[in-house]
Amino acid sequence: MRSLILLIPLLPLIGFLLNISWGKQLPKKISGGIGVLAVLMSFLLVVYGWLQSSGSESTIDYTYFKWIETSAFSINFGFQLDNLSFLMMSIITGVGFLIHLYSDGYMHKDDGYYRFFAYLNLFIFFMLLLVMGSNLLITYIGWEGVGLCSYLLIGFWFKNHEYNDAAKKAFIVNRIGDLGFIVGIFFCLLNYKTIEYAALNELAAGSIQIGSAVVTTITLALFFGSTAKSAQIPLYTWLPDAMAGPTPVSALIHAATMVTAGIYMITRLNGLFLAAPFTLDVILVVGTATALVAAIIATRQNDIKKVLAYSTVSQLGFMFAALGAGAFVSGMFHLTTHAFFKALLFLGSGSVIHAMSGEQDIRNMGGLKSLKVTHLTFLIGTLAIAGIPPLSGFFSKDEILVNVYSKSFWFFIILFATAMLTAYYMFRLYFLTFHGKFRGTKEQADHLHESPLSMTFPLMVLAILAVVGGFLGIPEVFHMPHTFNEMLGKIVKIPELTVSHTFEYTVMGISTLIVGAIIYLTYQYFVTKEKLPSKSEKGFWSTAISNKFYIDEAYDSLVVAPVMGLSKWLYRVLDRSLTDGLVNQVGLTTLLSGQSIRKLQTGRTSLYLFAMVLGLILILCLNFFNR
Amino acid sequence: MISLSLLLLILPLVFSVITGFLSGKNARASAMAGALINLVVAGYAFTQFEANTSYQFAFLSDWIPSIRAKFHIGIDGINLLLILLTNLLLPVIIYTVKHEDSNRSGLYYGLILFMQFALLGVFMALDALLYYIFWELALIPIYLILLGFSSQPDFKTFVKFFIYTLAGSLFMFIAILYVYIKAPGGNFSIDNFYNNHLSEQEQVWVFLGFFIAYAIKIPIIPFHTWQPDTYTKASTPGTMLLSGVMLKMGTFSLLRWLLPVAPLALATVTPVVIILCIIGIVYGSIIAIRQKNIKTLFAYSSLAHVGLISAGVFALNADGFNGALIQMFNHGIIIVGLFLIAEIIYTRTETYHISELGGIRNEAPTLAFTFLIIILASVALPLTNGFVGEFLLLNGVFQYNQWMAVVGGTTVILSATYMLRMYQRTMLGLDRDYTKTILDLGTVEKIMVLGLVLIIIVTGIWPSILLDPIKPAVENLLNIIKIVQ
């Protein structure tokens, strides 16, 4: 079992090594086959391992070797396996496998086909390390590793400097968060002498004083790390740019898996975070604010992938709000359903872009119902994210809303409104893309075609999951088993809900009604009246929203430009002119004084003798007084 | 049976003399043979080394009886990694020499090997006078290499480097003489220097004497201004010798000859020195962002990295010392890897200017990919050697002062900024005029680059290979400092 578990991350790593070393010489069938099979086998092993271990109550710990050991601390290279990690591992390898399969069709004509599979495999490897690691530093390996893969894949088409810039931005912004993460690790080592998850949660349950400065600092630092990786305020700006990468990458890395790392890590450390109520409040505020802001921005985006990107930021905000309300399982539940329907939506958008010969602007689409599978599965994804019962998004979103309500009424209202906005921008996207008249060029119209089976098969599987995924967590009011609560209840504390059943029914009923109304109105506006988003926005709010509230511009002028200016100034003025100038001045003075001192070298022996005697006396005197 | 440490020291000297009389391909072969043989000996010593606090494979004999100076060398946990590093890098450095057809090539190779001899002497010396002699001896071959064999011979820059470092050394010499005269043992032995019974006041002065020499050599800001020019204008083998090995003379000496000799001074001086080091990290990183020349960029990145190493040393704890020692090794591997790539780019494009480069990856994927790995090690990505060192160092600084670790930790962000910016501009983007004809790595280049990459990854995954042998010595050193304090 021990070595079998080790194979789970190793198989994708081997796939990476094979493809990166020899992929170029291999035929596409083989290099693609290596990539897809590596992840499939890994997935099967995950399922096998999960079934094997499901009987045992406790978590399994495998330590493979001591990674970094000094006299002060010892960090094991070890894995911790329980339902939480198995859940993440099956999402990563399962959804990952589908996306690998999809990529075979999507990237088939690309020269870098083998490279693409190599990077995807490497990503799966690092992502698995992230969730399997038994301590913060193993997670950190994965954390930085997936950041690297994200960099490589966003800039996959490296001849285009716009893409390269997006890739670089993603890496650097993530590193800002990583500094927070590593500082959190230092704090843990200094104060608790351990960074093992189990030990930290145990400490939190016992000796750690709730709300102490140390635990608050640690959790805030780790949460700051999460705001970069999981694209929350203030570090979310890299994610929309990251859409420069090929669409399967957006689906896998920038929607289903990597960006959920922060939610996983906090859930993993739920004991520690529960000991820091202030941090939980911060998480609730940041999550809610991000959900709202990103949803507002999404309503004015016209690039199909940008809408989905902001939607992802917003949905991640929902998950963080759940964590902040102490409902860790609800966060994980939404993470799971979101992985299904958002991967589906992104892959669907890829299929649309594929059919439209690379077009991404929804104003130039319309009437794409002829792409039958793509259209139908995209509709299912849209219904799921909009929260139509009984699709998966309905249950997971409802659970978050109810949990937030029991914590704070106003945050509940904001998130409720955000959920309604979600329905609006998603149906706006859906109607503009698939309904009405075709607005593209004639060439695009001639070229329109449904994608090959390797692309539509993953769509169908994900669509099924997006429909049924919600049954894993049916609310208690329906008197059915809540699989998620049972599965994760031992690892994560589940808060007691104080909300009445009547309230729950009301929320479900009202939200479904409003969403229905929104769908109707959106249809009226965009399909019946054929209104299109205008090219130029008028009015203060519209301009601000369509320009994403100028956050990127603000960061550029407040952070990037000053650092760049400082770089130039430090080099030219402080370094070259002042410091080096001073050194040269000293040298020059020595030279010049040499010229004048030279006059002392008169050549008269008597003078030299005199100076020598004087010096000797001086040394003797000094020696004498020093005794 | 001859002592291993003496063998390690003598072999480069012998090969240096032999190679000096040869020319052309013979000189190259002889130099490479010498370097490889010494590497084997060093590798053997590394495997035979036992993790304890003693000086192993030591060699001791009378040297200058009148002043009780002895010829005493040996290997312990403090110098072990640097001896290995020096011998690992020498083949790469010799490989990058470009003077095959010139008649003077024998001299060039001979000087490089002589440099190796002096560097190993500095690392292995256990007698202060012997140490000082090797310290100064190392300056001569590098000065001649700079003057005689540079791509842009610039007399002013190199003389400045020579005088600057020489001037710093004089202060150290005075400090050594002072300790020699005052310490109870009346000799230059390292034990006598460690038990010198000087007052706190005296130790502060001794500290300053040593420190000026080291601060210039490492360099610690504001004593660094010789470095960017020298690195940029020197030929690549010279730059590699300087950045890969020679600057470690400074950081190594902090641990060997400064902290244990003047421990009473530390309470007074450490706060100032560590702040200088932390400033150096941020300062070097920010300046590196907008450099136009790859070599200058690497020079400033190196300034940031050695700033962190020195900060770890002055954090005065086990993590800081362990981190400093293995990061000296790692930094040597990484910076030589970076300069090797710069040299490989230069042989194909005849430029070091970032703005004149770009699109290299289109035709040379292996070059671009291996370059990326070395860059990732330089920015301390986990599973590369750079991460382990940086993690230990920052953790060491963190135990000293949390805010300093956070400020110094910005290197995590800034290094990614300057390195990825440079990588994008040199390797990525559209084809340029030359990219159509650019060659990917040749066979020997591949061996060199992949060899370094292998070291980067293996020691990143199993850092205990490097850490385990040095830990007892680090503990011992900490005790020496703590007991006196």
Side-chain angles (χ1 to χ4, degrees), chain A residues 67 69-71 73 115 119 144 158 161 164-165 168 171 175 179 186 564 567 571 575-576 580 584, chain B residues 160 224-225 229 283 286 290-291 300 319 361-362 379 382 395 412 420 424 429 460-461 463 471 475:
Chain A
W67 184 31
E69 193 189 21
T70 72
S71 50
F73 59 84
R115 204 159 47 86
Y119 294 165
E144 287 244 296
F158 53 81
H161 271 317
N164 291 331
D165 286 337
K168 195 174 62 186
F171 195 86
R175 278 236 144 174
L179 178 58
F186 293 152
M564 288 299 179
S567 176
Y571 179 61
D575 203 66
R576 293 292 93 193
D580 198 34
N584 289 340
Chain B
K160 179 163 134 193
H224 66 282
T225 53
D229 287 344
Y283 180 88
I286 290 185
R290 286 191 62 170
Q291 287 310 312
Y300 278 104
D319 284 348
R361 184 176 178 172
N362 304 346
V379 305
N395 194 26
V412 170
L420 291 185
Q424 178 180 344
I461 297 176
K471 274 188 276 189
E475 288 300 316

Side-chain angles (χ1 to χ4, degrees), chain A residues 399-590:
Chain A
E399 202 178 298
I400 292 178
L401 288 175
V402 173
N403 273 294
V404 171
Y405 176 80
S406 63
K407 178 111 177 166
S408 150
F409 175 72
W410 289 108
F411 283 94
F412 163 76
I413 292 291
I414 298 173
L415 284 176
F416 189 87
T418 308
M420 300 305 111
L421 275 178
T422 311
Y424 164 70
Y425 67 71
M426 281 311 300
F427 271 95
R428 169 182 175 268
L429 174 68
Y430 165 73
F431 287 134
L432 281 172
T433 309
F434 292 99
H435 287 255
K437 285 195 210 97
F438 183 72
R439 296 181 296 272
T441 61
K442 194 170 172 308
E443 283 136 32
Q444 285 172 335
D446 294 340
H447 184 70
L448 266 188
H449 62 281
E450 180 60 290
S451 302
L453 186 66
S454 65
M455 286 169 71
T456 50
F457 175 73
L459 290 179
M460 292 186 271
V461 177
L462 285 169
I464 294 168
L465 289 170
V467 173
V468 302
F471 297 116
L472 292 170
I474 297 171
E476 187 255 322
V477 287
F478 292 116
H479 304 292
M480 303 243 283
H482 192 297
T483 320
F484 257 77
N485 281 353
E486 285 168 16
M487 190 166 71
L488 300 179
K490 294 224 168 48
I491 309 160
V492 182
K493 192 163 171 280
I494 297 163
E496 286 291 319
L497 278 184
T498 51
V499 183
S500 70
H501 286 186
T502 336
F503 176 79
E504 275 201 62
Y505 289 128
T506 321
V507 171
M508 289 182 200
I510 292 181
S511 72
T512 312
L513 277 178
I514 301 182
V515 170
I518 288 174
I519 296 174
Y520 175 74
L521 291 173
T522 318
Y523 184 81
Q524 286 292 317
Y525 187 81
F526 290 108
V527 183
T528 313
K529 293 186 188 160
E530 296 192 345
K531 298 255 176 139
L532 275 182
S534 58
K535 298 273 176 201
S536 60
E537 301 286 347
K538 285 177 198 122
F540 176 74
W541 276 107
S542 320
T543 328
I545 295 171
S546 57
N547 284 299
K548 307 151 202 164
F549 297 115
Y550 300 99
I551 299 289
D552 276 302
E553 288 77 0
Y555 283 173
D556 272 345
S557 51
L558 290 177
V559 183
V560 180
V563 170
M564 288 299 179
L566 188 64
S567 176
K568 202 169 173 179
W569 182 83
L570 279 181
Y571 179 61
R572 294 228 176 123
V573 181
L574 193 61
D575 203 66
R576 293 292 93 193
S577 301
L578 288 178
T579 317
D580 198 34
L582 192 67
V583 172
N584 289 340
Q585 206 58 49
V586 172
L588 208 62
T589 318
T590 322

Side-chain angles (χ1 to χ4, degrees), chain A residues 165-206:
Chain A
D165 286 337
K168 195 174 62 186
K169 179 174 171 185
F171 195 86
I172 293 169
V173 172
N174 268 294
R175 278 236 144 174
I176 300 176
D178 293 351
L179 178 58
F181 196 123
I182 201 93
V183 167
I185 291 177
F186 293 152
F187 265 111
C188 282
L189 281 176
L190 186 67
N191 293 290
Y192 303 145
K193 313 281 178 241
T194 180
I195 51 168
E196 295 287 325
Y197 289 124
L200 285 173
N201 281 332
E202 212 170 283
L203 277 174

Side-chain angles (χ1 to χ4, degrees), chain A residues 76-94:
Chain A
N76 292 327
F77 195 99
F79 293 150
Q80 174 183 13
L81 296 165
D82 53 16
N83 283 336
L84 180 60
S85 31
F86 273 120
L87 171 70
M88 289 299 290
M89 286 155 70
S90 48
I91 294 174
I92 294 160
T93 52

Side-chain angles (χ1 to χ4, degrees), chain B residues 36-328:
Chain B
L36 289 176
I37 290 171
N38 225 40
L39 176 57
V40 171
V41 178
Y44 178 73
F46 185 71
T47 56
Q48 295 302 306
F49 184 83
E50 283 166 33
N52 59 40
T53 60
S54 65
Y55 300 117
Q56 299 171 34
F57 320 113
F59 176 79
L60 175 64
S61 91
D62 279 340
W63 180 34
I64 312 174
S66 57
I67 52 170
R68 292 175 299 281
K70 302 224 170 187
F71 193 96
H72 188 193
I73 54 174
I75 301 176
D76 71 343
I78 307 295
N79 61 15
L80 176 72
L81 297 183
L82 287 165
I83 292 163
L84 187 65
L85 175 75
T86 311
N87 288 301
L88 270 173
L89 293 182
L90 246 278
V92 182
I93 293 170
I94 287 170
Y95 168 73
T96 52
V97 170
K98 282 282 172 303
H99 277 260
E100 275 176 57
D101 302 319
S102 143
N103 291 329
R104 295 192 304 159
S105 66
L107 178 61
Y108 197 171
Y109 291 116
L111 285 171
I112 292 176
L113 290 171
F114 190 78
M115 179 83 186
Q116 180 186 20
F117 160 71
L119 288 165
L120 290 171
V122 170
F123 296 142
M124 290 199 286
L126 298 172
D127 179 281
L129 190 67
L130 187 66
Y131 160 78
Y132 180 75
I133 301 269
F134 277 123
W135 174 277
E136 295 292 30
L137 206 55
L139 199 55
I140 294 163
I142 190 70
Y143 179 60
L144 294 176
I145 288 171
L146 292 177
L147 271 189
F149 302 94
S150 284
S151 47
Q152 296 161 268
D154 182 339
F155 186 72
K156 207 179 133 200
T157 302
F158 299 142
V159 168
K160 179 163 134 193
F161 158 72
F162 186 77
I163 293 179
Y164 204 171
T165 48
L166 191 68
S169 310
L170 287 177
F171 290 97
M172 176 165 80
F173 188 55
I174 295 167
I176 286 177
L177 286 182
Y178 188 83
V179 179
Y180 165 69
I181 291 166
K182 286 286 190 155
N187 59 41
F188 289 98
S189 78
I190 195 162
D191 292 333
N192 185 36
F193 268 60
Y194 283 10
N195 300 306
N196 53 40
H197 295 289
L198 294 181
S199 70
E200 190 181 334
Q201 183 71 27
E202 288 170 306
Q203 289 207 357
V204 170
W205 286 107
V206 169
F207 180 97
L208 289 178
F210 279 99
F211 182 72
I212 288 176
Y214 301 151
I216 293 170
K217 196 73 115 197
I218 291 174
I220 291 174
I221 65 158
F223 303 102
H224 66 282
T225 53
W226 61 268
Q227 187 201 33
D229 287 344
T230 312
Y231 280 20
T232 310
K233 287 172 180 161
S235 61
T236 299
T239 314
M240 285 177 169
L241 278 172
L242 280 166
S243 62
V245 195
M246 198 171 176
L247 66 78
K248 274 81 187 180
M249 281 166 56
T251 45
F252 158 80
S253 298
L254 295 176
L255 289 168
R256 174 73 99 210
W257 293 103
L258 183 53
L259 303 188
V261 170
L264 294 177
L266 295 177
T268 320
V269 293
T270 303
V272 182
V273 174
I274 201 165
I275 285 174
L276 279 183
C277 299
I278 298 286
I279 293 175
I281 300 172
V282 182
Y283 180 88
S285 303
I286 290 185
I287 289 185
I289 296 175
R290 286 191 62 170
Q291 287 310 312
K292 299 186 170 96
N293 182 309
I294 310 182
K295 285 174 108 180
T296 323
L297 190 149
F298 292 160
Y300 278 104
S301 90
S302 187
L303 183 65
H305 282 120
V306 293
L308 182 56
I309 293 174
S310 314
V313 169
F314 285 101
L316 303 179
N317 52 45
D319 284 348
F321 285 3
N322 281 317
L325 282 173
I326 75 163
Q327 194 70 340
M328 283 180 220

